[in-house]
Amino acid sequence: MLDLQRLGPSVFRGDSPQVSRQRIFGGQVAAQALVAAGRSVDPDRTVHSLHGYFVRPGDPAVPIEFRVEDIRDGRSFSVRRSVAYQHDKVIFFMSASFHVYEEGLDHHEPFPADVPAPESVPTVAERMARYPERLAVLAATSPRAIDVRYLGEPGWVPPGDRPVNAEPRAWMRIDGKLPDDPLIHAAALTYASDLTLLDAVLATHGEVWGPGGVVGASLDHALWLHRPFRADEWFLYDCSSPNASGARGLASGRMFAADGRLIASAVQEGLLRRIGG
C-alpha cells in the first residue's frame, strides 16, 4: 500500500486495500501522502514533522492521485506540500518538513510507570471473543496490518462496559517485517498514529464507538518524529484528551519505543457525533 506508483516527476498514485469500508482510513491517506512527499527529498533528510487536513471522505474503490509541491530546499531543511485528489477534488493535503540530522540538546518525558509488557497484554482476537456482536465495529477501526494490544477497555466494547477515564494506551507494531527505509517506517507510524488517538476523547467520558455510542472522523492531524525507530518493533501509544466541545474532540498522544525513548508525538482534532443503538 505504501509502494506508490510514480506517474510523473511529482505525481504519484496510491491504492487502497480491498476491505469493506465506506471511506478510506485517514491514516492511510496521510501515510501515502508522506511517502509521495518523501520521494522528492534527498534520502539524508528524514521527516521530522507533518501537518495534514482531511477535507473530504476518500473513496476506497478509486485510486488516489498525490501531487507534490516543492516548497523549499535549504541547507538543513526541505519542505514539501502533498495533496491527495479523487474525482478531481482534494480529499487531503499535508505539509511535511525534512531535516538533516544534527547534534544538539536531548531530553524527553519519561516512559509511563507500571506498563505491562506487550506480550502479556491480550491480543485483539482475544478481546474480540468476548464481544462477537461488536465485530462490525472492530472491523472498521482495527486493520489487521498492525498488531494492537489495548491496555484498558478499547472503544469498541458495548455501551456501558467501558469505565470513565478508561486507560487510553496501547502497544502497537507492524505485524510483519518492513524494509530498512526510514521513510517507510515514518509512513507506517503515521498510519498507526490515526488508529486510537480519538479514542482518548471517548475514554474521558466512558463512551464507545458504534451503535449506542459515537461515530467520528478525523479533521486534522499533526505528527512530530523525534528519534530513530522501527515501526515493526513494539511502541507504546499513550493518549489523552484535553478538550471536547462543539461536537469536536482534541486528543494528543506520545509514542515510546520499548526501550523507553520518546519517538513521536501526535495531536488530532476529530468530529464526534452520537448515534442510536
Side-chain angles (χ1 to χ4, degrees):
M1 188 187 65
L2 299 178
D3 188 19
L4 305 185
Q5 178 184 356
R6 186 183 290 271
L7 302 179
S10 59
V11 182
F12 302 84
R13 191 185 94 160
D15 295 312
S16 299
Q18 298 303 305
V19 295
S20 56
R21 291 181 181 274
Q22 292 183 333
R23 63 175 185 256
I24 297 175
F25 174 57
Q28 173 197 323
V29 183
Q32 291 176 323
L34 176 60
V35 171
R39 287 190 176 175
S40 69
V41 176
D42 192 303
D44 69 348
R45 303 187 177 203
T46 57
V47 61
H48 71 91
S49 70
L50 58 89
H51 302 255
Y53 281 89
F54 300 92
V55 181
R56 293 180 176 88
D59 181 352
V62 177
I64 310 169
E65 183 176 284
F66 296 91
R67 304 175 193 172
V68 179
E69 182 181 358
D70 184 341
I71 303 297
R72 181 177 186 266
D73 282 317
R75 288 183 297 178
S76 301
F77 290 88
S78 293
V79 180
R80 298 292 186 268
R81 187 170 186 262
S82 185
V83 185
Y85 292 85
Q86 280 188 325
H87 306 293
D88 295 321
K89 294 183 178 180
V90 175
I91 64 168
F92 175 81
F93 63 89
M94 167 193 291
S95 297
S97 180
F98 300 76
H99 183 210
V100 177
Y101 178 76
E102 300 179 44
E103 294 288 347
L105 301 176
D106 196 318
H107 75 274
H108 65 79
E109 293 178 309
F111 188 86
D114 302 322
V115 173
E119 293 80 8
S120 67
V121 179
T123 65
V124 168
E126 291 167 341
R127 287 188 179 274
M128 282 170 56
R130 295 184 293 160
Y131 306 109
E133 74 281 2
R134 302 290 284 184
L135 287 178
V137 177
L138 179 61
T141 57
S142 297
R144 300 274 86 65
I146 300 179
D147 189 349
V148 181
R149 309 286 181 96
Y150 296 92
L151 271 65
E153 289 292 348
W156 45 263
V157 300
D161 278 18
R162 193 182 203 197
V164 174
N165 291 321
E167 191 176 53
R169 289 175 176 167
W171 284 106
M172 298 182 181
R173 69 175 176 185
I174 298 299
D175 196 10
K177 186 71 172 178
L178 291 176
D180 293 334
D181 183 356
L183 178 62
I184 296 300
H185 287 267
L189 196 76
T190 301
Y191 184 105
S193 69
D194 191 32
L195 273 177
T196 62
L197 193 49
L198 286 182
D199 195 42
V201 183
L202 273 62
T204 305
H205 300 269
E207 289 283 358
V208 300
W209 298 107
V214 175
V215 292
S218 303
L219 296 174
D220 62 356
H221 194 85
L223 182 67
W224 294 264
L225 299 107
H226 308 308
R227 292 173 176 81
F229 63 89
R230 290 192 65 92
D232 53 8
E233 296 178 354
W234 288 113
F235 57 91
L236 179 72
Y237 202 5
D238 180 27
C239 302
S240 62
S241 175
N243 184 75
S245 59
R248 302 186 314 276
L250 186 69
S252 63
R254 305 177 301 168
M255 294 182 173
F256 291 91
D259 61 9
R261 294 175 302 119
L262 181 65
I263 58 173
S265 300
V267 176
Q268 182 179 100
E269 187 176 49
L271 178 67
L272 301 170
R273 289 173 173 158
R274 291 188 178 277
I275 58 174

